Amino acid sequence: MNILLFGPPGAGKGTQSELLKSQLKMTHISTGDLFRYALKNQTPLGIEAKKYLDAGQLVPDSVTIDMVRDVLGRIDGNSFILDGFPRNIAQADSLEEMLKVLGLKVEKAIFVAVPPNELVERLSGRRVCEKCGATYHISAMPPRVEGVCDRCGGKVIQRSDDRREVIEDRIKVYEQNTRPLKDYYREKGRLVEVDGRGETEEVFLRIKKAMA
Ligand code: AP5
């Protein structure tokens, strides 16, 4: 089954996608990760995306949609999770068209719900490995050695868009652009809402149930 995970910034989409990837062997397609990877490698796409990422704004649809079309065109038949795409109605409409052309389906649109106060706490405390992208939290899930990634020994840093002032802008962008997707997928009969609060494993069980 192919799914898309959506919800506010910090809802745990990346964390849950990692679990789906390791436990259910699904392919994880994260537009945020794709942009950060392009930026790390200083590709034209990464350089173009940087100003939007740093400001917590959406990268223009034309750029984002082409990037996803390219990735979906190379999918090898494995089940996939779309994480962070679509993020507005125009992207959702484009996704429908792409899937049709490629003969693919996204069966469930899983909305991960977390209240705003908890989002700010999660994002301001988040740290990531600059080498492998592993995610930590300074109090809920710190690395064993401060500043060092458990997985690869890389340096653990704060994302530039996890500064408090940018977090607020990201939540506003989400409210204006992404939240309306709940009605979009409800009308298509594909929406499932999952409570994103509680232990990571509990949330994972809810997502697996939503996929059943
Ligand atoms: P993106 O990387 O997609 O960021 P986001 O949607 O803001 O989501 P996050 O990665 O911040 O949060 P998450 O839900 O994955 O939470 P996580 O699991 O890390 O996008 C970044 C930027 O790229 C955008 O601002 C935009 O500029 C651009 N972009 C991306 N897609 C685009 C698109 N389609 N169109 C245009 N532009 C686009 O968890 C967060 C923290 O909480 C972590 O510290 C984690 O350890 C902790 N945590 C997770 N689960 C729990 C739990 N159950 N309990 C307690 N803590 C938890």
Side-chain angles (χ1 to χ4, degrees):
M1 172 186 286
N2 304 318
I3 60 166
L4 63 88
L5 278 187
F6 73 114
K13 305 178 294 291
T15 304
Q16 295 300 326
S17 294
E18 281 304 315
L19 289 172
L20 289 162
K21 187 172 144 184
S22 65
Q23 297 197 23
L24 303 185
K25 310 291 171 222
M26 295 174 81
T27 298
H28 179 203
I29 304 169
S30 156
T31 41
D33 285 351
L34 290 169
F35 287 131
R36 283 184 288 276
Y37 181 79
L39 178 58
K40 194 171 158 193
N41 290 292
Q42 288 291 294
T43 67
L45 172 70
I47 293 163
E48 161 77 5
K50 182 180 180 348
K51 55 181 179 288
Y52 301 100
L53 265 74
D54 285 349
Q57 299 298 317
L58 296 185
V59 178
D61 286 347
S62 53
V63 176
T64 308
I65 290 166
D66 282 352
M67 179 177 80
V68 174
R69 185 180 287 113
D70 181 51
V71 174
L72 285 179
R74 289 187 277 115
I75 205 95
D76 54 5
N78 201 24
S79 294
F80 61 82
I81 314 143
L82 275 174
D83 161 13
F85 184 93
R87 245 178 165 90
N88 58 28
I89 304 285
Q91 292 184 7
D93 283 340
S94 295
L95 176 63
E96 294 294 304
E97 284 168 28
M98 277 182 232
L99 293 171
K100 205 167 157 192
V101 170
L102 294 165
L104 295 169
K105 266 192 180 155
V106 167
E107 282 93 342
K108 301 266 165 112
I110 302 177
F111 177 78
V112 185
V114 172
N117 58 333
E118 192 167 335
L119 298 174
V120 175
E121 204 279 319
R122 285 188 187 189
L123 291 172
S124 53
R126 174 168 58 186
R127 299 294 181 270
V128 292
C129 173
E130 67 176 359
K131 200 166 158 199
C132 73
T135 300
Y136 299 94
H137 187 278
I138 48 172
S139 51
M141 211 199 299
R144 283 192 292 271
V145 178
E146 197 185 333
V148 181
C149 179
D150 295 349
R151 201 155 79 180
C152 75
K155 193 173 165 195
V156 172
I157 56 155
Q158 184 172 38
R159 253 167 64 172
S160 65
D161 58 350
D162 280 345
R163 288 169 292 128
R164 273 191 186 261
E165 60 278 20
V166 186
I167 291 172
E168 283 170 19
D169 288 340
R170 286 164 64 199
I171 294 176
K172 278 188 208 145
V173 167
Y174 155 76
E175 290 290 346
Q176 277 170 9
N177 297 274
T178 313
R179 186 186 270 282
L181 291 177
K182 277 181 80 174
D183 286 340
Y184 183 95
Y185 286 112
R186 187 180 286 116
E187 279 161 23
K188 291 191 183 296
R190 279 185 253 157
L191 178 74
V192 193
E193 184 160 344
V194 161
D195 185 353
R197 295 169 302 173
E199 294 295 321
T200 301
E201 275 297 329
E202 280 176 61
V203 179
F204 182 58
L205 290 178
R206 289 179 204 133
I207 291 178
K208 278 208 294 191
K209 203 170 156 201
M211 290 169 66

